[in-house]
Amino acid sequence: MAKTLKRGAAFVALARALTAGARGGPSLGARIGALPRMIAATARGEYDGGLRLAMMTAAAAYIASPVDVVPELFLAVFGLLDDAVMVTWLAGAVLAETERFLEWETRRSSVVPGQVVP
C-alpha cells in the first residue's frame, strides 16, 4: 500500500477522473468530499497517505507562493507553464489519492473489528 504517486500517474488519474462519471467510477463530488475524511484518517494514523498529502500540500504552497511570481515576470509564458503543469499535477494527484482512499474505505468497511484468536 506504500506505492508512491508518480507524475505520470497523476496526469492519468486526472484524465480518468474527468471521464469517471461515464464509466461508473466515483464522481468528482465524491472524490472532493472524501478529501477531509482522508486528511483526518491520515492525521489519526489510520491511512498511509502522509507523504502523498505532504507532497500535495507542498505543490499547493508552490502554486500560491508569491516567490513564484518572479519567474513569471522574467520568463512570461514559460513562467506560467510551470504553474500550469503544477496545477495539473496537483489536480491529478488529489483525484488519484482520493480514489485510492475511497477504495481503502470500502475495503475497511468490510473488515470485522476484533482480534485473531490462535
Side-chain angles (χ1 to χ4, degrees), residues 13 16-17 23 25-26 31 34 38 47 93-104:
R16 276 192 307 188
R23 295 182 299 121
R31 292 170 193 243
M38 180 178 68
Y47 182 66
V94 167
L95 293 173
E97 193 59 29
T98 53
E99 181 175 359
R100 184 173 172 265
F101 175 75
L102 288 169
E103 290 171 0
W104 174 82

Side-chain angles (χ1 to χ4, degrees), residues 35-46 53:
L35 194 56
R37 294 193 315 272
M38 180 178 68
I39 293 169
T42 302
R44 287 189 305 266
E46 298 171 356
L53 281 176

Side-chain angles (χ1 to χ4, degrees), residues 42-89:
T42 302
R44 287 189 305 266
E46 298 171 356
Y47 182 66
D48 69 344
L51 179 60
R52 289 177 294 278
L53 281 176
M55 290 171 51
M56 289 184 269
T57 302
Y62 174 79
I63 294 166
S65 171
V67 174
D68 188 42
V69 172
V70 175
E72 277 85 20
L73 294 175
F74 296 111
L75 301 174
V77 174
F78 296 112
L80 294 175
L81 185 62
D82 73 322
D83 287 341
V85 169
M86 190 63 74
V87 167
T88 305
W89 179 86

